[in-house]
Amino acid sequence: MNLERLLSFNWEIMAPEFTILIAAILLSLIDLFMPDKASRKPLALLGLAGIIIAIVFGVLQIGDPVSSILMDTYRFDSFALAFKLLFLVATAMILLLAFDFEGESNWAYRGEFYYLLLTALLGAMMMASSADLITLFVGLELLSISSYILAGMRKKNLHSNEAAFKYVVNGGIATAITLFGMSYIYGLTGQTNLYRISEMLADPRVEANGFLVVMAFVMMFVGLSFKISAAPFHMWAPDVYQGSPTPVTTFLSVVSKMAGFTLILKIFLVIFLGSRGWHNEVLLDIQPYIAIIAGLTMIIGNVVALRQRNIKRMFAYSSIAHAGYVLVPFVSLSSIVFKTTWFYLLAYLLMNIGAFAVIQFVTEREKSEDFTAFAGLNKRAPLTAFMMAVFIISLAGLPFTAGFIGKFGIFMSALGTGHYILASVMIATTVVSYVYYFNVLVQIYFRKGIDDRIRPSIGLIIVIVICTVGTLLFGIYPSAALDFFHSGFSMNDLFAPPK
């Protein structure tokens, strides 16, 4: 490919990705030339400025036609843009959390943290926009490798070292399984582009080896299940969430998980629903198995969370349970699969980042991650305690919160497609979750703690207030988000040819 051909591409569609890439490079260079003892906090603000510019580019792209560059390896469409905006908003708030994160005194690598967070975000964005197995894998690895390093950022902390080690080993195995599945797909179809693969599945020679196609996709699903911490591939999550710095835990539980769901939706729906032939039935045939994984994920996540005393481990299992909820629309495959998934991820983003902001605030003050550290919080910081209560009520799925609307949409999609058992499991496990969620509320409002007033720092206040307003607004008036989704994004773009 010559220079003239390269310059002929419409590079404007990659404006958000280029902005994040340039911001990451600038941060790494500035960090390199800064004095060792200089504060790295200004780097967080520079990174935040880069993300805001990328969000502006993304908003300006709403309504643009489907297009692709680099031989269809990178594709711009509404599906990718809708999820990329979620990634960008979530990472912006996590950078604010990181700005105020103190950790222990020997956590001295703050500069690396900021630009690695941006490279992980870039990997997630590439996964959303990729239309080719090779670029999908590159995006997945960019996100994964950055996350491995971020998990071990506290280099002198044993829990952090353990978290990084377990994450690398388990992540490496999951990556190998995913790549093995992809190699089978390439061997059978001779293609790496998702849309070409979909067309090649109609070839009689591929159809004759249909069992190998199914096996390949099962292996890919298993590998990607690790990324979303679905059972039984969830065992890494509690240790990694506990050992990682709290902003990294927040990133793994929100952005990394959302990227995994985006990838699963894209690969399986484009290849199986975007084509005609015998393989249309494959997705329906494997639905019962995905339903079992969704049910197990909800049960294991909620039941094991009951016995956790470490608040980060408790939220790790809560995160596993929520992965099970988000798998339900993928099982039901109703006409509202994109809407329900997008809205639930938006609600999850707000309530989970808000909860982790309060967790960071309390655990740093108390030097303890036991959930009793929240005892008497309503006396010490009444407004913060109220906002934590909003997040917990939303995570539990109670009315007037975004979490309730999100769960209700998922529940109705399961009922509407006849998945009554899965809907029953969802209700039963939601009731179980009330026990551990309300244990935290009992600590906040009915247990006596230290009697001194405390207040979060400005960065935490901004994040907590934004998340509270969003959780209540989208719980009382969900049309505000749903109308934006319907008017700005057409999910049919996912199956449309580029213009």
Side-chain angles (χ1 to χ4, degrees):
M1 185 183 297
N2 55 36
L3 181 62
E4 185 179 357
R5 172 72 172 147
L6 273 175
L7 293 175
S8 69
F9 290 134
N10 179 19
W11 293 105
E12 290 181 10
I13 62 175
M14 290 189 71
E17 283 85 353
F18 281 135
T19 305
I20 298 301
L21 177 63
I22 292 169
I25 293 172
L26 278 177
L27 291 190
S28 62
L29 291 175
I30 293 171
D31 179 51
L32 187 64
F33 291 104
M34 285 180 78
D36 288 343
K37 294 184 179 179
S39 171
R40 261 56 178 177
K41 284 194 173 185
L43 297 182
L45 299 179
L46 286 174
L48 184 61
I51 292 177
I52 291 172
I53 294 171
I55 291 174
V56 171
F57 280 129
V59 171
L60 292 175
Q61 288 177 330
I62 293 176
D64 285 358
V66 179
S67 55
S68 67
I69 57 174
L70 299 171
M71 275 76 80
D72 292 339
T73 54
Y74 180 92
R75 177 186 171 94
F76 171 83
D77 54 34
S78 290
F79 172 87
L81 185 58
F83 286 96
K84 277 194 287 188
L85 287 175
L86 291 184
F87 301 158
L88 287 164
V89 171
T91 310
M93 288 197 278
I94 291 166
L95 265 178
L96 281 174
L97 296 188
F99 181 79
D100 287 323
F101 181 71
E102 296 297 334
E104 58 264 39
S105 57
N106 57 13
W107 193 62
Y109 304 96
R110 191 180 292 273
E112 297 171 16
F113 172 82
Y114 295 132
Y115 53 80
L116 283 172
L117 200 63
L118 293 185
T119 55
L121 168 64
L122 183 62
M125 294 170 70
M126 286 301 297
M127 287 162 65
S129 275
S130 178
D132 191 279
L133 290 180
I134 295 173
T135 45
L136 274 174
F137 186 74
V138 170
L140 179 64
E141 283 305 282
L142 185 57
L143 170 64
S144 300
I145 293 172
S146 300
S147 301
Y148 300 152
I149 302 170
L150 286 169
M153 190 60 76
R154 295 184 298 177
K155 298 179 182 177
K156 296 181 182 178
N157 183 293
L158 289 179
H159 288 299
S160 190
N161 295 345
E162 180 186 356
F165 178 74
K166 287 185 175 177
Y167 200 15
V168 168
V169 172
N170 286 284
I173 294 170
T175 298
I177 293 172
T178 306
L179 199 56
F180 193 50
M182 288 181 175
S183 69
Y184 265 75
I185 292 295
Y186 177 70
L188 288 164
T189 64
Q191 300 289 337
T192 56
N193 184 280
L194 299 183
Y195 296 86
R196 307 284 183 280
I197 291 171
S198 180
E199 293 170 2
M200 283 302 297
L201 289 183
D203 190 299
R205 291 169 296 181
V206 179
E207 184 176 351
N209 296 286
F211 70 100
L212 288 176
V213 173
V214 173
M215 190 176 77
F217 278 99
V218 168
M219 283 191 287
M220 288 171 62
F221 186 80
V222 166
L224 296 175
S225 295
F226 167 87
K227 185 55 66 183
I228 61 172
S229 59
F233 316 105
H234 65 285
M235 295 303 291
W236 61 276
D239 292 330
V240 174
Y241 281 30
Q242 181 183 356
S244 302
T246 305
V248 177
T249 306
T250 314
F251 182 85
L252 296 177
S253 71
V254 178
V255 180
S256 183
K257 193 179 289 288
M258 289 195 298
F261 280 112
T262 306
L263 194 52
I264 287 175
L265 280 176
K266 187 157 199 168
I267 288 180
F268 287 87
L269 297 190
V270 166
I271 291 179
F272 288 117
L273 291 187
S275 58
R276 300 172 183 173
W278 65 275
H279 41 280
N280 273 340
E281 301 297 323
V282 171
L283 199 55
L284 299 176
D285 291 341
I286 62 175
Q287 271 187 326
Y289 303 102
I290 300 175
I292 291 171
I293 290 177
L296 280 176
T297 305
M298 288 187 275
I299 293 169
I300 291 174
N302 283 308
V303 171
V304 181
L306 295 173
R307 296 186 58 83
Q308 305 305 314
R309 291 189 63 84
N310 183 292
I311 192 73
K312 288 170 74 175
R313 287 185 77 87
M314 181 189 295
F315 270 77
Y317 282 104
S318 161
S319 170
I320 291 167
H322 283 275
Y325 300 144
V326 188
L327 276 176
V328 174
F330 185 61
V331 176
S332 58
L333 280 182
S334 67
S335 58
I336 56 173
V337 57
F338 295 115
K339 182 179 76 173
T340 51
T341 304
W342 184 85
F343 186 88
Y344 194 83
L345 291 179
L346 172 65
Y348 181 73
L349 178 163
L350 293 168
M351 57 195 182
N352 218 44
I353 290 181
F356 269 109
V358 180
I359 289 171
Q360 178 176 313
F361 166 58
V362 173
T363 54
E364 279 192 348
R365 287 276 180 172
E366 300 302 317
K367 309 296 181 193
S368 168
E369 293 181 352
D370 194 282
F371 76 101
T372 54
F374 286 82
L377 185 64
N378 69 315
K379 300 284 187 187
R380 308 176 70 192
L383 275 177
T384 306
F386 167 75
M387 291 188 274
M388 183 63 171
V390 170
F391 301 138
I392 287 178
I393 289 171
S394 184
L395 284 163
L398 292 177
F400 306 114
T401 61
F404 169 75
I405 301 295
K407 275 190 183 177
F408 183 74
I410 290 174
F411 179 71
M412 292 307 294
S413 72
L415 280 185
T417 51
H419 292 86
Y420 302 116
I421 296 177
L422 202 56
S424 304
V425 171
M426 188 176 173
I427 288 184
T429 53
T430 297
V431 172
V432 170
S433 72
Y434 294 164
V435 177
Y436 63 87
Y437 282 136
F438 291 165
N439 268 343
V440 180
L441 289 183
V442 167
Q443 292 293 327
I444 292 174
Y445 286 99
F446 299 104
R447 294 288 182 269
K448 190 175 180 181
I450 302 171
D451 195 17
D452 64 328
R453 297 300 289 259
I454 52 177
R455 200 174 76 170
S457 55
I458 186 66
L460 289 178
I461 289 175
I462 293 171
V463 172
I464 294 170
V465 169
I466 291 174
C467 291
T468 304
V469 171
T471 302
L472 291 175
L473 173 67
F474 299 140
I476 297 169
Y477 186 54
S479 297
L482 294 174
D483 287 348
F484 171 72
F485 180 79
H486 285 304
S487 61
F489 309 103
S490 170
M491 291 298 111
N492 289 330
D493 284 359
L494 183 62
F495 308 106
K499 297 175 182 175

